């Protein structure tokens, strides 16, 4: 069941899995994505390992507050907010949940938000898992093919959105694993029906570009960290994961051949095991 909390002055939509007595685990999703993109089954696997899992919609996505009045920023020249603000949203959600601290997992932009949360609120982050992410927008830029699908004009209707999603994930997904077109269409349809807001995604992208490089700040972290990355990622090439792991003292690096910019289901057991080892460390 989706619930709402007031966090950092906005409404945040969230859902939970597992016992409230479990280890608190906060999942942060990426650019334009919604809480449903943390697959139910993956969340349940994490809950089975003793985690109290919470997934949520970032600002400008899903059922959380959309900053429509901010309009559409010109990328690289203006931004309505920064990753700092999105990290403070996450900290505010933790306040609403009554969590003093949590294990934090972020994917893609969510990894950038998780990194920023650990930098801004180190006492709130028990462990940090950064997946298919990077310490800065210029560290591991996307390939031309990935840039083309990332910056493609938004599709005009639901059917076109679903077709565009299949095209996008055929480019940036995992070439070492079968493309699950049925799941892509199903998830994209659910996301469209929950919320379709291309300007909101542009505002998120502007925040990424305006937030700068975190490498030096990551070097001052004292949090146990895990970095997971696909070796075939075209949107955030593996150099981003290597740089993240190199920046965080003592971070463990886990890379997967054939994994692109998604989380292939066959890898879930190993990913869940790695996160569980970190949170029980």
């Amino acid at each position: 069941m989706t619930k709402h909390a007031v966090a950092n002055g906005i409404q945040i939509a969230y859902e939970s899995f597992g016992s409230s007595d479990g280890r608190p685990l906060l999942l942060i999703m990426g650019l334009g994505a919604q809480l449903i993109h943390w697959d139910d089954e993956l969340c349940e696997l994490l809950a089975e390992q003793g985690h109290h899992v919470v997934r949520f919609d970032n600002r400008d996505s899903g059922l959380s507050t959309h900053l429509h009045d901010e309009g559409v920023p010109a990328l690289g020249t203006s931004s309505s907010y920064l990753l700092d603000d999105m990290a403070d949203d996450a900290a505010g959600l933790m306040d609403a949940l009554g969590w003093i601290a949590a294990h934090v997992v972020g994917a893609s932009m969510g990894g950038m938000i998780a990194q920023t949360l650990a930098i801004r609120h180190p006492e709130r982050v028990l462990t940090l898992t950064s997946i298919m992410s990077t310490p800065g927008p210029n560290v591991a830029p996307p390939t031309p093919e990935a840039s083309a699908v990332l910056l493609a004009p938004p599709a005009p209707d639901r059917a076109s959105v679903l077709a565009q999603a299949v095209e996008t994930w055929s480019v940036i997904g995992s070439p070492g694993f079968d493309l699950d077109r049925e799941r892509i269409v199903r998830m994209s349809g659910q996301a469209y029906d929950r919320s379709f807001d291309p300007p909101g995604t542009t505002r998120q992208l502007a925040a990424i570009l305006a937030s700068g490089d975190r490498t030096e700040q990551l070097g001052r972290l004292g949090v146990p960290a895990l970095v997971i990355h696909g070796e075939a990622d075209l949107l955030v090439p593996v150099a981003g994961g290597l740089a993240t792991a190199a920046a965080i003292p003592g971070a463990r690096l886990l890379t997967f051949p054939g994994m692109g910019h998604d989380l292939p289901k066959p890898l879930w057991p190993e990913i869940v095991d790695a996160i569980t080892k970190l949170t029980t460390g």
Side-chain angles (χ1 to χ4, degrees), residues 119-202:
I119 291 166
R120 290 175 63 80
H121 305 281
E123 74 286 354
R124 309 297 300 272
V125 179
L126 298 172
T127 65
L128 169 64
T129 300
S130 180
I131 304 174
M132 52 191 174
S133 194
T134 175
N138 299 318
V139 173
T143 67
E145 301 93 331
S147 290
V149 296
L150 176 68
L151 301 176
D157 54 54
R158 191 181 191 276
S160 300
V161 166
L162 304 192
Q164 187 179 60
V166 173
E167 180 181 353
T168 295
W169 291 107
S170 69
V171 173
I172 66 173
S174 297
F177 300 85
D178 291 336
L179 185 69
D180 190 343
R181 287 178 171 82
E182 181 180 344
R183 178 180 180 274
I184 292 169
V185 169
R186 183 180 70 253
M187 295 290 287
S188 299
Q190 291 174 0
Y192 183 92
D193 295 340
R194 289 180 90 241
S195 171
F196 182 64
D197 183 17
T201 300
T202 302

Side-chain angles (χ1 to χ4, degrees), residues 19-266:
S19 170
S20 60
D21 295 331
R23 299 185 302 284
L25 185 72
L26 187 68
L27 303 180
I28 310 178
M29 198 20 92
L31 177 68
Q34 303 182 32
L35 61 81
I36 59 172
H37 291 103
W38 291 110
D39 194 281
D40 288 1
E41 186 177 343
L42 177 58
C43 293
E44 290 164 356
L45 288 173
L46 288 163
E48 288 171 4
Q49 296 303 312
H51 299 106
H52 179 202
V53 179
V54 169
R55 60 182 184 179
F56 70 98
D57 290 323
N58 288 307
R59 61 169 63 194
D60 270 329
S61 70
L63 304 181
S64 290
T65 296
H66 290 243
L67 305 178
H68 299 297
D69 292 344
E70 298 294 336
V72 183
L75 292 177
T77 63
S78 64
S79 177
S80 304
Y81 49 83
L82 298 173
L83 294 178
D84 287 359
D85 300 294
M86 302 182 82
D88 290 349
D89 294 346
L93 175 58
M94 289 169 59
D95 290 339
L97 293 168
W99 288 0
I100 297 173
H103 303 279
V104 180
V105 179
S108 195
M109 180 188 73
M112 303 174 199
I113 296 169
Q115 294 169 22
T116 306
L117 179 62
I119 291 166
R120 290 175 63 80
H121 305 281
E123 74 286 354
R124 309 297 300 272
V125 179
L126 298 172
T127 65
L128 169 64
T129 300
S130 180
I131 304 174
M132 52 191 174
S133 194
T134 175
N138 299 318
V139 173
T143 67
E145 301 93 331
S147 290
V149 296
L150 176 68
L151 301 176
D157 54 54
R158 191 181 191 276
S160 300
V161 166
L162 304 192
Q164 187 179 60
V166 173
E167 180 181 353
T168 295
W169 291 107
S170 69
V171 173
I172 66 173
S174 297
F177 300 85
D178 291 336
L179 185 69
D180 190 343
R181 287 178 171 82
E182 181 180 344
R183 178 180 180 274
I184 292 169
V185 169
R186 183 180 70 253
M187 295 290 287
S188 299
Q190 291 174 0
Y192 183 92
D193 295 340
R194 289 180 90 241
S195 171
F196 182 64
D197 183 17
T201 300
T202 302
R203 289 189 291 272
Q204 292 180 348
L205 181 56
I208 292 172
L209 297 176
S211 293
D213 191 285
R214 293 172 294 282
T215 302
E216 182 178 350
Q217 295 163 299
L218 290 174
R220 295 194 288 270
L221 291 182
V223 61
L226 169 67
V227 176
I228 299 174
H229 217 104
E231 296 175 13
D233 194 332
L234 300 184
L235 189 61
V236 181
V238 69
L242 298 176
T244 303
I248 303 173
R252 178 193 174 198
L253 175 65
L254 178 62
T255 66
F256 292 103
M259 174 179 158
H261 202 73
D262 59 3
L263 295 172
K265 189 172 182 177

